């Protein structure tokens, strides 16, 4: 069974930075993609960013472009989310997910097979 584990959340002031980490383990082969999603209180879970290991490409939600950066190590099934210039509206539980589907559409929640437990990010104004 695949396990996805996030770490690195916390409380930060507006304008500050945080770095989240995520590792997937439990399979002999790497996922085709890993992504970050977030869910604020009372809202649906939404796409933040993802990396497609097959193409090497990355995708970002418009709300985080220019502020967030995803990176990772395919060999270690690990991704990172560097979050800069944080805003109060970035406050949410951040989830990491892994997809083992060859033609994954990385922006869609349903395309991911395994999810982490989530890590809280709180940005104070």
């Amino acid at each position: 069974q695949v396990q996805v584990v996030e770490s690195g959340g916390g409380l930060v002031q507006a304008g500050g930075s945080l770095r989240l980490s995520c590792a997937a383990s439990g399979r002999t082969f790497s996922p085709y993609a890993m992504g970050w999603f977030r869910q604020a209180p009372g809202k649906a879970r939404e796409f933040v960013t993802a990396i497609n290991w097959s193409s090497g490409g990355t995708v970002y939600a418009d709300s985080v472009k220019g502020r967030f950066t995803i990176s990772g190590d395919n060999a270690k099934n690990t991704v990172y989310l560097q979050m800069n210039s944080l805003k109060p509206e970035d406050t949410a539980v951040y989830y990491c997910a892994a997809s083992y589907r060859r033609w994954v559409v990385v922006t869609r929640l349903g395309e991911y097979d395994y999810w982490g437990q989530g890590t809280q990010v709180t940005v104070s104004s």
Side-chain angles (χ1 to χ4, degrees):
Q1 183 69 11
V2 174
Q3 285 190 321
V4 178
V5 180
E6 311 101 332
S7 62
L11 173 64
V12 65
Q13 288 188 331
S17 298
L18 279 175
R19 187 176 188 241
L20 307 183
S21 300
C22 172
S25 61
R27 280 199 179 180
T28 56
F29 55 94
S30 296
Y32 286 102
M34 292 184 73
W36 290 96
F37 292 77
R38 67 186 181 186
Q39 187 167 17
K43 295 188 176 182
R45 192 171 299 189
E46 64 176 7
F47 171 77
V48 176
T49 181
I51 186 166
N52 186 316
W53 296 122
S54 296
S55 65
T58 56
V59 181
Y60 293 91
D62 288 342
S63 59
V64 305
K65 280 181 183 176
R67 301 188 299 120
F68 291 12
T69 302
I70 188 171
S71 61
D73 186 336
N74 191 11
K76 296 181 179 179
N77 298 336
T78 300
V79 290
Y80 307 98
L81 180 61
Q82 179 65 44
M83 304 183 292
N84 298 328
S85 302
L86 282 161
K87 305 174 181 180
E89 50 264 43
D90 294 318
T91 295
V93 177
Y94 283 70
Y95 296 90
C96 179
S99 177
Y100 289 84
R101 308 180 192 199
R102 177 67 179 88
W103 304 108
V104 55
V105 178
V106 297
T107 57
R108 296 181 183 173
L109 275 72
E111 293 281 310
Y112 290 84
D113 304 293
Y114 300 97
W115 292 79
Q117 78 288 350
T119 185
Q120 177 70 46
V121 171
T122 302
V123 184
S124 63
S125 57

